[in-house]
Amino acid sequence: MESRLKAWRAKDGQASTGCVGLRIDGGPALKRVLSHLKLGFLVAAVGFIAYAAKGASDELDTLLAGAAVSTFCLAVLAWYSLHFISPVFSLLALRACGTRVGYRLALINHASRLPARYLPGGIWHLVAKSLHFHEQGVKVPHITVLFLLEQALAISVTFLLGGAALWLVRGWEGWGAAGFLGASGATLLLLLMPLGLNRLVLTDGTGIRLLPYLKVVATVVLFWLVATMAFLLYMSGFPSLSMETSVADLGGSYLFSWGVGYLAFFAPQGVGVFEASLAGMLDNETSFQGLLVVVAGFRLVALVADIAAWLTAMALQTQGSRAS
């Protein structure tokens, strides 16, 4: 995939200026260091979670004995629905730049490349989608905007929603104060993002206007509200897990922890960082080790939903091939 990326940049004369969102070279030495760092942290994180599972085996046995499988299925369904929201984001982000693509194309592009999400590095799903859009005639600056918006809005919206919830529930102490700072920084990023894109990326005279940008942000907000609902459903599937926290606190903690994990560039998909952050934020009778493993189990919900969405895309591609 990286060779295709280099060929694309060379084809479009982007060797020096390039698609700023897709500059992943950074020199072979730096790339090797980051690759080894991510791989090493991933192994360490998985090992720590496995060690925590062993140490909390009795607690986990109790939790799993009373687990509600039907609730887990609802959580998978909620996460599966996110794959039908993501294409809307792509449509609106590209439309804000003046490029129109069809929903079916965006859906298949997103879902059929979900396996790339699990490749080392953490950005290959987004890179694969960007390459496909370029092959369909989307201009490089517009793909750059899509690339940057997807990353920046994921961080800003999770910190804004999660941080605001933590601050409102917990006040000015501890994680509440951190939530306020996170939400404030996220708000600033949301305000400055279109200005930066218009000045630095869309230099051909086109620009992102306020209303299209707000539609893009609203789509991301919807995405993360549904993602939070999936997590809340998952946690409610453990009746014996007596959570001493409100729904707003639990949902806010999930969003804020996800943002922290996303910022941890050394942790692929925030593995280990997200789980440890969230387990440390929750007030519960269950041990930290037990909560860590329970939170890590939510990744299985996402995995099952991702597989279902990928199979859906494969079916749509097959149907389209037969129709043509």
PDB file of all heavy atoms in Angstrom, residues 170-179:
ATOM      1  N   ARG A 170     -18.375  15.908  37.426  1.00  0.00           N
ATOM      2  CA  ARG A 170     -17.371  15.819  38.486  1.00  0.00           C
ATOM      3  C   ARG A 170     -16.880  17.166  38.995  1.00  0.00           C
ATOM      4  O   ARG A 170     -16.167  17.223  40.002  1.00  0.00           O
ATOM      5  CB  ARG A 170     -16.172  14.999  37.997  1.00  0.00           C
ATOM      6  CG  ARG A 170     -16.548  13.597  37.532  1.00  0.00           C
ATOM      7  CD  ARG A 170     -15.327  12.729  37.359  1.00  0.00           C
ATOM      8  NE  ARG A 170     -15.658  11.415  36.841  1.00  0.00           N
ATOM      9  CZ  ARG A 170     -14.844  10.372  36.852  1.00  0.00           C
ATOM     10  NH1 ARG A 170     -13.625  10.516  37.371  1.00  0.00           N
ATOM     11  NH2 ARG A 170     -15.216   9.208  36.350  1.00  0.00           N
ATOM     12  N   GLY A 171     -17.218  18.245  38.300  1.00  0.00           N
ATOM     13  CA  GLY A 171     -16.805  19.556  38.768  1.00  0.00           C
ATOM     14  C   GLY A 171     -15.359  19.862  38.446  1.00  0.00           C
ATOM     15  O   GLY A 171     -14.807  19.393  37.456  1.00  0.00           O
ATOM     16  N   TRP A 172     -14.722  20.641  39.326  1.00  0.00           N
ATOM     17  CA  TRP A 172     -13.390  21.175  39.047  1.00  0.00           C
ATOM     18  C   TRP A 172     -12.271  20.328  39.628  1.00  0.00           C
ATOM     19  O   TRP A 172     -11.111  20.745  39.611  1.00  0.00           O
ATOM     20  CB  TRP A 172     -13.273  22.586  39.590  1.00  0.00           C
ATOM     21  CG  TRP A 172     -14.119  23.569  38.849  1.00  0.00           C
ATOM     22  CD1 TRP A 172     -15.315  24.079  39.248  1.00  0.00           C
ATOM     23  CD2 TRP A 172     -13.840  24.142  37.566  1.00  0.00           C
ATOM     24  NE1 TRP A 172     -15.810  24.937  38.309  1.00  0.00           N
ATOM     25  CE2 TRP A 172     -14.915  24.999  37.250  1.00  0.00           C
ATOM     26  CE3 TRP A 172     -12.789  24.028  36.653  1.00  0.00           C
ATOM     27  CZ2 TRP A 172     -14.980  25.732  36.082  1.00  0.00           C
ATOM     28  CZ3 TRP A 172     -12.840  24.745  35.477  1.00  0.00           C
ATOM     29  CH2 TRP A 172     -13.931  25.587  35.188  1.00  0.00           C
ATOM     30  N   GLU A 173     -12.570  19.158  40.142  1.00  0.00           N
ATOM     31  CA  GLU A 173     -11.529  18.330  40.738  1.00  0.00           C
ATOM     32  C   GLU A 173     -11.183  17.143  39.845  1.00  0.00           C
ATOM     33  O   GLU A 173     -12.042  16.584  39.171  1.00  0.00           O
ATOM     34  CB  GLU A 173     -11.972  17.820  42.116  1.00  0.00           C
ATOM     35  CG  GLU A 173     -12.187  18.926  43.141  1.00  0.00           C
ATOM     36  CD  GLU A 173     -12.548  18.372  44.512  1.00  0.00           C
ATOM     37  OE1 GLU A 173     -12.646  17.124  44.617  1.00  0.00           O
ATOM     38  OE2 GLU A 173     -12.729  19.166  45.435  1.00  0.00           O
ATOM     39  N   GLY A 174      -9.928  16.757  39.886  1.00  0.00           N
ATOM     40  CA  GLY A 174      -9.483  15.553  39.206  1.00  0.00           C
ATOM     41  C   GLY A 174      -9.811  15.535  37.720  1.00  0.00           C
ATOM     42  O   GLY A 174      -9.489  16.467  36.970  1.00  0.00           O
ATOM     43  N   TRP A 175     -10.470  14.467  37.299  1.00  0.00           N
ATOM     44  CA  TRP A 175     -10.814  14.294  35.891  1.00  0.00           C
ATOM     45  C   TRP A 175     -11.798  15.343  35.408  1.00  0.00           C
ATOM     46  O   TRP A 175     -11.890  15.608  34.209  1.00  0.00           O
ATOM     47  CB  TRP A 175     -11.375  12.896  35.660  1.00  0.00           C
ATOM     48  CG  TRP A 175     -10.331  11.828  35.683  1.00  0.00           C
ATOM     49  CD1 TRP A 175     -10.115  10.888  36.654  1.00  0.00           C
ATOM     50  CD2 TRP A 175      -9.336  11.594  34.676  1.00  0.00           C
ATOM     51  NE1 TRP A 175      -9.049  10.092  36.329  1.00  0.00           N
ATOM     52  CE2 TRP A 175      -8.557  10.495  35.106  1.00  0.00           C
ATOM     53  CE3 TRP A 175      -9.022  12.203  33.461  1.00  0.00           C
ATOM     54  CZ2 TRP A 175      -7.490   9.992  34.373  1.00  0.00           C
ATOM     55  CZ3 TRP A 175      -7.961  11.703  32.717  1.00  0.00           C
ATOM     56  CH2 TRP A 175      -7.205  10.621  33.166  1.00  0.00           C
ATOM     57  N   GLY A 176     -12.549  15.941  36.318  1.00  0.00           N
ATOM     58  CA  GLY A 176     -13.462  17.009  35.919  1.00  0.00           C
ATOM     59  C   GLY A 176     -12.706  18.205  35.372  1.00  0.00           C
ATOM     60  O   GLY A 176     -13.062  18.782  34.340  1.00  0.00           O
ATOM     61  N   ALA A 177     -11.629  18.592  36.068  1.00  0.00           N
ATOM     62  CA  ALA A 177     -10.797  19.705  35.606  1.00  0.00           C
ATOM     63  C   ALA A 177     -10.099  19.345  34.296  1.00  0.00           C
ATOM     64  O   ALA A 177      -9.999  20.173  33.376  1.00  0.00           O
ATOM     65  CB  ALA A 177      -9.762  20.058  36.671  1.00  0.00           C
ATOM     66  N   ALA A 178      -9.633  18.088  34.186  1.00  0.00           N
ATOM     67  CA  ALA A 178      -9.000  17.645  32.940  1.00  0.00           C
ATOM     68  C   ALA A 178     -10.003  17.671  31.795  1.00  0.00           C
ATOM     69  O   ALA A 178      -9.664  18.028  30.658  1.00  0.00           O
ATOM     70  CB  ALA A 178      -8.438  16.233  33.119  1.00  0.00           C
ATOM     71  N   GLY A 179     -11.250  17.319  32.117  1.00  0.00           N
ATOM     72  CA  GLY A 179     -12.295  17.355  31.106  1.00  0.00           C
ATOM     73  C   GLY A 179     -12.558  18.759  30.601  1.00  0.00           C
ATOM     74  O   GLY A 179     -12.749  18.980  29.396  1.00  0.00           O
TER      75      GLY A 179
END
